[in-house]
Amino acid sequence: MIRVLVAYASERGGTAEIADWAGAALRQAGVDADVRPAGEVTSLDGYDAAVVGGALYAGRWHREARRFVRHHADALAHRPVWLFSSGPLDRTTEERDIAPAPGVAKFARRINAKGHATFGGRLTPDARGFLASKIAKRMSGDYRDRDHVTEWATGIADDLRKAAV
Ligand SMILES: Cc1cc2nc3c(=O)[nH]c(=O)nc-3n(C[C@H](O)[C@H](O)[C@H](O)COP(=O)(O)O)c2cc1C
């Protein structure tokens, strides 16, 4: 069976849940998926492919996602890899594809990623942190769309299964 690692970096749990949704969709589509925090992964041995996701903060991927790609760049470059970002606190991701942040696009090129998706984010009204609480006063809400994530991950499973034939 094809084995996929879904590695994520999340500060407030929103991106972690997106990774769980992606993992569930991959399994539903017939591939084996492990969903793990990027900081806890020491090796990609045994995985045929990877999905790497990070929350967006100040126009950049979460630190752990950046570290993960830097640290495992060679292993990632030798496997099919898809990236995702979660951030926008509005409905734009439902209206059109949002290009990756420049730093994420650079990582995508470096490891020759097969694709990237931007999913909406979530910020709760009671978010802690100096900046987060300020932002939450203006734009809290949950803009994540599980169906969008499921559709994207199901497409990945289809691509992997076709490539394995
Ligand atoms: C301080 C702060 C900065 C943020 N910067 C961005 C940003 O640059 N781009 C973006 O799309 N979303 C931004 N967001 C929204 C977050 O990416 C969103 O809340 C996301 O769902 C957080 O994921 P997490 O719950 O996994 O940490 C920001 C949120 C906070 C609190």
Side-chain angles (χ1 to χ4, degrees), residues 10-16 55-59 86-89 121-123 131-132 135:
S10 174
E11 198 66 33
R12 298 183 165 79
T15 310
L56 289 170
Y57 282 95
S86 169
L89 297 169
R122 176 189 69 178
L123 193 63
L131 267 180
I135 294 171

Side-chain angles (χ1 to χ4, degrees), residues 107-131:
F107 280 131
R109 285 193 295 274
R110 179 165 168 195
I111 59 171
N112 198 19
K114 295 216 163 281
H116 172 274
T118 302
F119 299 122
R122 176 189 69 178
L123 193 63
T124 56
D126 61 350
R128 286 169 180 240
F130 179 71
L131 267 180

Side-chain angles (χ1 to χ4, degrees), residues 2 18 24 28 31 34 37 39 49 54 56 65 70 113 120 129 131 145 153:
I2 299 166
I18 290 176
Q28 185 69 33
V31 307
D34 282 348
L56 289 170
R70 270 193 220 108
L131 267 180
D145 176 354

Side-chain angles (χ1 to χ4, degrees), residues 56 88 90 92-101 116-119:
L56 289 170
D90 56 31
T92 49
T93 56
E94 284 167 35
E95 290 154 14
R96 56 191 161 89
D97 287 344
I98 306 290
H116 172 274
T118 302
F119 299 122

Side-chain angles (χ1 to χ4, degrees), residues 5 15 19 24 34 42 65 72 78 81 88 90-91 99 108 120 126 142 145-146 164:
L5 171 68
T15 310
D34 282 348
T42 53
H72 298 286
H78 286 92
V81 177
D90 56 31
R91 303 252 166 244
D126 61 350
D142 191 348
D145 176 354
R146 183 166 186 166

